[in-house]
């Protein structure tokens, strides 16, 4: 659980980019609208825009990045392109967390190693779930321990029951796993601020005012940014930051600066707008980017493309928060 700038993980000694407190975006993966091949120039452009808009870090190949739709080679290519774009734009210190989940221990370790070679700094990993009936707590602990023992990159646990057949790691399990020296955080896409509070307290998680142990307790949705801060959290990894990164950052900064009432008021506007993206999922988020920034496109099949009426409804639904975004 100990995090330092100079890290020795499983025989790999490196000066690792630290994870600062703040807002992170799980970046979208963009595809050619006709061939569905990776659109590397747009992937790079998007990464640069998010960095310039003040995010603390990026996550490649997460759920919003359609990792499940990409080959291992494509995952590596996206991470490499993102690192190249950040470095070329002068953001050499911005960390990248890479979604590196595969079904087996062996496959996940291999992807962790390839993620490191591609420029990743940390990995984000879901619990195994395909053979759901056989996955109990013992299996989950065994999986994460085996991966953490061999991964050259420190691990952020990814608690997202909706993506793993309902597996919801409780605070006792997360605290147990946090004792491993190569497990350095959790992303709480479960939305449980109580769970986040307990884990942050037990791990002495990093906050904007305290380095603590360095453990990172990430809220997983931008519509509970203030709540994450109140709970002792370290940051937010949220899909909405692909669309309205400046508003997400502003909510965080207002609270950190002690402007609590302003932060709460802006959080309400952010939560209202983010709901339109949450409901419309990946296709809706990409079309929101298309509507307001001129690129975005579509998800890979089998995810459906939205009809024009839905695209317009999303654009209208987020209009108020996007007016704030443009003003910042």
């Amino acid at each position: 659980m100990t995090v330092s700038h100079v890290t020795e993980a499983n025989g790999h000694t490196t000066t690792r980019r630290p994870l600062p407190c703040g807002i992170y975006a799980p970046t979208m993966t963009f595809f050619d609208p006709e061939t569905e091949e990776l659109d590397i120039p747009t992937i790079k452009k998007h990464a640069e825009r998010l960095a310039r808009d003040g995010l603390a870090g990026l996550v490649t190949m997460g759920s919003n990045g359609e990792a499940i739709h990409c080959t291992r080679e494509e995952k590596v290519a996206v991470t490499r392109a993102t690192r190249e774009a950040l470095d070329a734009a002068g953001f050499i210190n911005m960390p990248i967390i890479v979604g590196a989940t595969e079904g087996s221990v062996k496959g996940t370790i291999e992807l962790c190693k390839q993620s490191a070679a591609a420029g990743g700094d940390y990995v984000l990993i879901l619990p195994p779930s395909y053979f759901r009936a056989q996955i109990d707590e013992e299996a989950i602990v065994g999986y994460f321990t085996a991966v953490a023992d061999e991964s050259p990159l420190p691990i952020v646990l990814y608690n997202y029951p909706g993506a793993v057949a309902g597996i919801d790691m409780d605070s006792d399990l997360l605290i147990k796993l946090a004792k491993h020296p190569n497990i350095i955080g959790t992303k709480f896409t479960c939305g449980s601020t109580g769970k986040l509070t307990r884990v942050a307290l037990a791990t002495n998680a990093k906050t904007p005012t305290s380095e603590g142990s360095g453990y990172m307790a990430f809220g997983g949705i931008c519509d509970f940014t203030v709540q994450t801060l109140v709970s002792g959290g370290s940051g937010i990894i949220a899909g909405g930051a692909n669309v309205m990164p400046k508003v997400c950052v502003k909510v965080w900064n207002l609270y950190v600066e002690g402007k609590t009432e302003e932060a709460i008021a802006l959080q309400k506007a952010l939560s209202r707008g983010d709901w339109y993206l949450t409901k419309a999922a990946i296709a809706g988020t990409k079309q929101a980017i298309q509507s307001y920034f001129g690129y975005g496109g579509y998800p890979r099949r089998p995810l459906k493309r939205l009809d024009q009426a839905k695209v317009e409804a999303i654009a209208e639904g987020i209009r108020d928060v996007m007016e704030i975004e443009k003003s910042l």
Side-chain angles (χ1 to χ4, degrees):
M1 187 178 73
T2 303
V3 184
S4 62
H5 293 193
V6 179
T7 306
E8 183 173 349
N10 302 320
H12 300 262
T13 302
T14 181
T15 302
R16 193 176 311 286
R17 297 174 184 87
L19 291 172
C21 289
I23 305 296
Y24 294 64
T27 60
M28 317 302 292
T29 300
F30 300 99
F31 306 108
D32 182 281
E34 300 298 328
T35 66
E36 296 191 2
E37 295 297 326
L38 293 178
D39 182 351
I40 294 296
T42 300
I43 288 167
K44 288 186 170 184
K45 178 172 72 172
H46 185 63
E48 182 178 342
R49 177 175 76 81
L50 296 181
R52 293 194 186 284
D53 285 349
L55 297 189
L58 300 181
V59 180
T60 59
M61 303 320 308
S63 303
N64 275 273
E66 296 182 67
I68 195 67
H69 292 164
C70 294
T71 66
R72 187 185 287 185
E73 292 74 20
E74 287 175 325
K75 294 173 185 178
V76 170
V78 168
T79 297
R80 182 178 295 115
T82 301
R83 182 75 268 160
E84 290 172 353
L86 293 177
D87 290 351
F91 297 97
I92 59 173
N93 294 320
M94 176 170 281
I96 297 176
I97 305 171
V98 184
T101 305
E102 290 206 359
S104 68
V105 167
K106 183 177 184 296
T108 300
I109 292 170
E110 288 175 356
L111 185 51
C112 289
K113 292 177 178 178
Q114 292 181 346
S115 298
D121 300 290
Y122 304 82
V123 286
L124 179 69
I125 300 180
L126 290 159
S129 63
Y130 187 86
F131 297 103
R132 176 66 183 91
Q134 284 73 48
I135 301 299
D136 55 13
E137 182 170 314
E138 181 182 3
I140 292 171
V141 170
Y143 172 80
F144 280 118
T145 301
V147 173
D149 284 346
E150 298 294 330
S151 173
L153 298 181
I155 292 169
V156 177
L157 306 174
Y158 190 4
N159 193 51
Y160 182 15
V164 288
I167 293 174
D168 189 1
M169 296 184 285
D170 65 24
S171 53
D172 293 339
L173 175 54
L174 294 169
I175 292 165
K176 179 192 294 186
L177 290 168
K179 295 176 182 177
H180 194 291
N182 207 29
I183 294 177
I184 57 84
T186 299
K187 180 189 178 190
F188 294 85
T189 307
C190 55
S192 173
T193 53
K195 186 186 300 182
L196 189 154
T197 303
R198 292 188 293 274
V199 174
L201 180 64
T203 59
N204 188 24
K206 184 176 182 177
T207 70
T209 58
S210 172
E211 188 65 27
S213 68
Y215 193 90
M216 300 295 289
F218 289 107
I221 311 170
C222 65
D223 67 6
F224 65 97
T225 299
V226 168
Q227 297 90 325
T228 293
L229 281 157
V230 172
S231 297
S234 314
I236 300 288
I237 300 174
N242 282 285
V243 181
M244 41 216 177
K246 294 179 183 179
V247 175
C248 293
V249 170
K250 187 67 172 179
V251 172
W252 183 273
N253 288 343
L254 284 171
Y255 189 91
V256 171
E257 293 164 5
K259 301 174 182 176
T260 307
E261 293 304 316
E262 292 179 55
I264 292 172
L266 189 56
Q267 175 71 79
K268 292 176 181 178
L270 176 58
S271 297
R272 184 171 58 248
D274 188 56
W275 178 234
Y276 289 91
L277 303 179
T278 300
K279 287 190 292 183
I282 292 168
T285 300
K286 284 188 167 183
Q287 283 300 296
I289 296 169
Q290 186 76 51
S291 295
Y292 283 94
F293 298 99
Y295 67 93
Y298 309 100
R300 269 185 174 167
R301 292 171 293 175
L303 292 183
K304 296 185 292 185
R305 298 184 178 190
L306 303 183
D307 61 38
Q308 189 58 33
K310 289 181 179 177
V311 171
E312 292 173 0
I314 294 166
E316 180 61 32
I318 65 173
R319 186 176 304 281
D320 288 347
V321 73
M322 293 307 294
E323 287 298 323
I324 300 171
E325 178 77 15
K326 292 176 184 178
S327 75
L328 295 174

